[in-house]
Amino acid sequence: MTRILLIGYMGAGKTTLGRALAKEIGVEFIDLDQYIEQRYRKSIADIFAEKGEEGFRLIEQRMLHEVCEFENVVISTGGGTPCFFDNIEYMNRQGTTVFLDVPLERLFIRLSIARSKRPLIKDKSDEELRTFIKENLDKRLPHYTKATHTFVADKLEDRTQIASSVEKFIKEIMQTR
Ligand code: S3P
């Protein structure tokens, strides 16, 4: 049974790599944020606006427990998922956890063009965004590094890079499990 859980900061490529990996190995792909949006019929931004971050984290944990029962899946989680409650310990029990490690500058480049749907960063200027990523990442790293595997995901910028990252992921993670 395959259950791979991708964790890492916003912009680390969890969805991009996860979708391509699932396709390549022939299993279903689940993106936790999209799953939450479908189950609640609401965008993540609206859930944050209505229930605050605390309310969102409770929903996120509940939905994580649902998707972690599914078999033969690649699951991409939200950037904050492993950093609240006992989520990372729970994920480690449920499947193969992989931290997608990406240098700060690459995260900044990716997020500066993709901040509008992300409530935690949508109103930040470039300078504020850079500082926020650095400080927030420092706080989150102790959680991320509890994953059983780490994969450097700095090359996901086009189709060719995604395909070779998937190949590398399979060699480094899947064949050594
Ligand atoms: C969050 C990351 C988002 C989403 C929510 C909160 C975070 O997911 O879950 O906006 O706390 O880092 P992505 O990592 O897919 O952007």
Side-chain angles (χ1 to χ4, degrees):
M1 193 269 287
T2 301
R3 188 184 293 129
I4 295 170
L5 291 148
L6 302 181
I7 70 168
Y9 204 69
M10 291 179 270
K14 304 177 294 286
T15 306
T16 305
L17 183 70
R19 182 173 288 122
L21 173 68
K23 196 170 172 203
E24 183 65 27
I25 62 175
V27 299
E28 200 188 332
F29 171 67
I30 293 171
D31 177 88
L32 183 60
D33 280 338
Q34 283 171 14
Y35 185 84
I36 294 171
E37 292 185 331
Q38 281 161 13
R39 284 278 272 105
Y40 280 75
R41 310 275 192 275
K42 246 177 219 164
S43 69
I44 300 296
D46 285 347
I47 298 175
F48 260 78
E50 281 172 29
K51 301 181 189 291
E53 181 170 355
E54 239 175 87
F56 171 74
R57 296 301 171 196
L58 290 169
I59 290 174
E60 182 182 46
Q61 184 189 32
R62 203 174 311 137
M63 295 299 100
L64 176 70
H65 283 235
E66 273 192 28
V67 299
C68 280
E69 291 297 324
F70 300 157
E71 302 196 343
N72 298 319
V73 278
V74 173
I75 300 168
S76 71
T77 59
T81 315
C83 312
F84 292 84
F85 314 111
D86 65 343
N87 289 351
I88 183 62
E89 286 79 14
Y90 170 75
M91 286 191 268
N92 278 335
R93 290 196 299 273
Q94 292 298 112
T96 304
T97 51
V98 185
F99 165 42
L100 300 192
D101 193 9
V102 176
L104 182 76
E105 199 48 35
R106 174 65 41 205
L107 291 176
F108 173 74
I109 294 168
R110 288 183 189 165
L111 289 175
S112 58
I113 52 165
R115 63 191 115 176
S116 65
K117 283 192 188 153
R118 294 179 161 109
L120 293 176
I121 56 171
K122 71 175 172 28
D123 297 322
K124 300 202 186 304
S125 67
D126 278 358
E127 204 179 315
E128 287 167 343
L129 178 64
R130 199 186 290 270
T131 311
F132 179 80
I133 297 173
K134 191 181 173 331
E135 291 176 358
N136 196 219
L137 189 58
D138 279 352
K139 282 193 211 137
R140 288 180 169 189
L141 272 172
H143 303 281
Y144 292 156
T145 51
K146 285 186 187 161
T148 49
H149 298 77
T150 295
F151 180 77
V152 178
D154 57 344
K155 293 194 182 69
L156 292 170
E157 314 321 307
D158 56 43
R159 272 205 231 166
T160 317
Q161 286 192 4
I162 295 168
S164 43
S165 287
V166 167
E167 207 178 301
K168 190 166 127 237
F169 188 101
I170 291 171
K171 258 193 215 126
E172 284 179 21
I173 315 277
M174 313 278 300
Q175 291 172 356
T176 57
R177 268 191 310 154

